[in-house]
Amino acid sequence: MMLLTKKNRADLPELYSQDGKGYDAIAHVKFFTPWSNWTWYATEFDPETGRFFGLVQGTEEELGYFMLSELEAVKGKWGLKIERDRHFSPKSLREVAKNPPPKDDGNCAKCGATPDDGMRERVANGDPDICEPCYKFEYNLA
């Protein structure tokens, strides 16, 4: 099986085109090892160098670069090779990640209060993900 078809190449955005989207970037192709738990979700591709950017799941989970040539060169048990999931449809990295970071929607991570809830303003110093009342409660500052 070809790891990357002409259609895959056409569908994958250019490298750096989803820069800054983090886990909201869209993965267009999924590769996996049939003999272990390694998976690569490609969000971008440079056809000249064969370099991808995306989410890599193995012993750890991280965003990073990987090469088509490296995926093609890997041989596992019984001569198995890395495969492309032919049934994969594009999804955000947040949807496929095992432990995605929380989406920063501006709401308090503890109580869910929005910035429009009056006194529940984000704390300038301390923990920027929780509102002032939750910060005071969390750190016994009431």
Side-chain angles (χ1 to χ4, degrees), residues 3-141:
L3 269 186
L4 205 58
T5 65
K6 288 181 182 177
K7 182 178 181 342
N8 296 142
R9 288 175 185 266
D11 289 346
L12 276 163
E14 291 181 20
L15 206 55
Y16 311 114
S17 63
Q18 297 194 67
D19 195 26
K21 292 186 177 180
Y23 281 79
D24 293 321
I26 303 298
H28 293 272
V29 182
K30 174 186 175 184
F31 303 104
F32 66 96
T33 53
W35 66 90
S36 74
N37 65 336
W38 282 79
T39 306
W40 296 261
Y41 293 95
T43 60
E44 304 168 353
F45 181 64
D46 181 351
E48 291 181 24
T49 63
R51 183 180 227 186
F52 293 99
F53 185 81
L55 180 68
V56 181
Q57 295 172 332
T59 54
E60 299 289 328
E61 181 173 83
E62 64 184 346
L63 296 174
Y65 295 95
F66 50 97
M67 300 293 292
L68 178 59
S69 60
E70 292 172 339
L71 296 178
E72 292 172 332
V74 172
K75 284 189 181 177
K77 294 179 180 182
W78 310 290
L80 292 172
K81 294 182 148 259
I82 291 174
E83 297 182 19
R84 174 180 34 85
D85 184 343
R86 294 180 289 167
H87 304 288
F88 181 76
S89 58
K91 293 177 176 50
S92 74
L93 295 181
R94 191 171 303 285
E95 292 176 86
V96 298
K98 293 176 182 172
N99 294 306
K103 188 169 186 169
D104 185 10
D105 56 5
N107 296 348
C108 175
K110 296 257 184 220
C111 70
T114 66
D116 297 332
D117 285 342
M119 292 185 61
R120 297 196 177 273
E121 296 176 9
R122 307 276 291 240
V123 177
N125 297 317
D127 189 340
D129 294 328
I130 62 176
C131 65
E132 188 171 358
C134 288
Y135 180 81
K136 287 180 178 178
F137 178 79
E138 182 80 14
Y139 298 101
N140 297 316
L141 302 174

